[in-house]
Amino acid sequence: MSPDSNQRNADKLSGGSRPGEPASLTGAKLADNGDQAGRKSIVREYAEAIVVAMLLAFAIRVFVVQAFKIPSGSMIPTLLIGDHILVSKLSYGLQWPTDCKLQWSFPPVNCYTSTTVVTFGKPQRGDIIVFRFPEDEEKDFIKRIVGLPGDTVQLRNKVVLVNGQPLDDKTFTQRIDPGIIDGTVNPRDNFGPVTVPEESYFVMGDNRDQSLDSRFWGYVREEKIRGKAFRIYWSWNGQGNWTEWVRWERFAKAIQ
């Protein structure tokens, strides 16, 4: 191999300039290539960070805690319209989502039931839970548990009876309509008695006269429970004077 051939091969390996090409031009090309590689590396790092953040947010939402907004007044006075609440997914155990389907939104997977892998406890009377609405499982409802599996639940002239005993609910409920509706017309004020099936719960809204609950559509299956509401993290009124739009006194308020 001639010296000229060796020199040409050396130029190829080192990125040297071609014959007749100024060394400054070659250096500029190398710098430009380096800048492009740097930009690609930064874009890739940001993309990876975004993907990891989305996966973490999805995992937290599915397994740990999820935020919800209260859209109706069925839980007044405990929860007001515009309250933003946190719901614990770990209150009753580690849940594994089942019956899932893909969707073109976040989260990309929507699951309609769950299986408890590790049990921490069972839902108790008085717990406020979020669950899939039995008549339309695309919607989430929030109510308070009144009847446990095996309990007998009855309403007599607005008084809730559980296993034959009046439920002490005056501290967290309201009844705004003094009228009494006959049970043959509407189950709002006179209902039952019924026995709650196994692995099911009888739920009611705290706003007794204005709540669509188990009196009208039946029981909540345990696998449909999404979690237990435990705290208000933000509350938006949006009415009256602008200084009253935010309910500051409800920030970080525990839900009982």
Side-chain angles (χ1 to χ4, degrees):
M1 182 180 293
S2 65
D4 291 341
S5 298
N6 288 337
Q7 182 61 42
R8 283 196 297 271
N9 290 334
D11 286 343
K12 291 179 181 178
L13 292 174
S14 63
S17 60
R18 292 191 297 270
E21 184 179 57
S24 59
L25 181 58
T26 301
K29 289 183 177 180
L30 289 174
D32 184 60
N33 290 337
D35 290 342
Q36 290 182 358
R39 284 194 293 270
K40 289 180 180 178
S41 177
I42 292 173
V43 170
R44 180 177 177 180
E45 288 180 3
Y46 276 110
E48 290 176 349
I50 292 172
V51 170
V52 170
M54 291 180 66
L55 291 175
L56 285 175
F58 178 64
I60 291 172
R61 187 179 191 272
V62 171
F63 297 107
V64 183
V65 67
Q66 184 174 350
F68 290 89
K69 177 186 175 182
I70 303 301
S72 73
S74 69
M75 286 298 292
I76 294 172
T78 306
L79 297 173
L80 307 180
I81 298 174
D83 281 350
H84 290 67
I85 65 172
L86 296 176
V87 173
S88 171
K89 298 296 189 72
L90 295 174
S91 292
Y92 307 123
L94 179 60
Q95 300 181 7
W96 185 259
T98 55
D99 189 18
C100 303
K101 73 174 185 179
L102 297 174
Q103 59 184 18
W104 293 104
S105 62
F106 185 84
V109 179
N110 194 12
C111 299
Y112 297 93
T113 59
S114 61
T115 300
T116 302
V117 179
V118 181
T119 301
F120 300 151
K122 289 289 187 178
Q124 300 298 312
R125 185 177 295 108
D127 288 356
I128 296 177
I129 58 171
V130 172
F131 55 91
R132 294 288 187 182
F133 179 39
E135 295 187 346
D136 183 359
E137 294 195 351
E138 298 296 329
K139 298 178 180 179
D140 293 313
F141 266 32
I142 182 167
K143 305 292 178 187
R144 189 185 297 270
I145 294 177
V146 171
L148 304 176
D151 283 347
T152 298
V153 180
Q154 184 178 10
L155 270 79
R156 290 180 182 172
N157 297 332
K158 296 183 183 289
V159 177
V160 181
L161 304 174
V162 179
N163 298 325
Q165 299 298 317
L167 181 67
D168 185 10
D169 59 4
K170 292 183 175 59
T171 59
F172 55 81
T173 62
Q174 73 172 19
R175 295 169 173 84
I176 60 176
D177 182 5
I180 302 294
I181 301 177
D182 189 281
T184 59
V185 178
N186 187 297
R188 188 192 73 175
D189 302 328
N190 288 278
F191 171 85
V194 296
T195 300
V196 183
E198 291 299 315
E199 299 183 349
S200 299
Y201 297 88
F202 191 96
V203 299
M204 298 180 69
D206 288 353
N207 190 0
R208 291 284 195 255
D209 293 338
Q210 296 182 330
S211 173
L212 183 65
D213 50 39
S214 289
R215 292 171 289 181
F216 299 91
W217 42 255
Y219 310 102
V220 176
R221 296 286 298 171
E222 189 168 342
E223 68 268 17
K224 300 296 184 179
I225 296 176
R226 307 197 69 181
K228 177 183 176 182
F230 69 96
R231 194 163 298 277
I232 299 169
Y233 70 91
W234 169 261
S235 186
W236 175 259
N237 184 13
Q239 297 180 354
N241 192 292
W242 68 270
T243 58
E244 301 173 350
W245 287 358
V246 178
R247 303 186 185 104
W248 300 102
E249 73 280 2
R250 297 183 69 79
F251 272 30
K253 182 179 179 180
I255 299 173
Q256 299 177 344

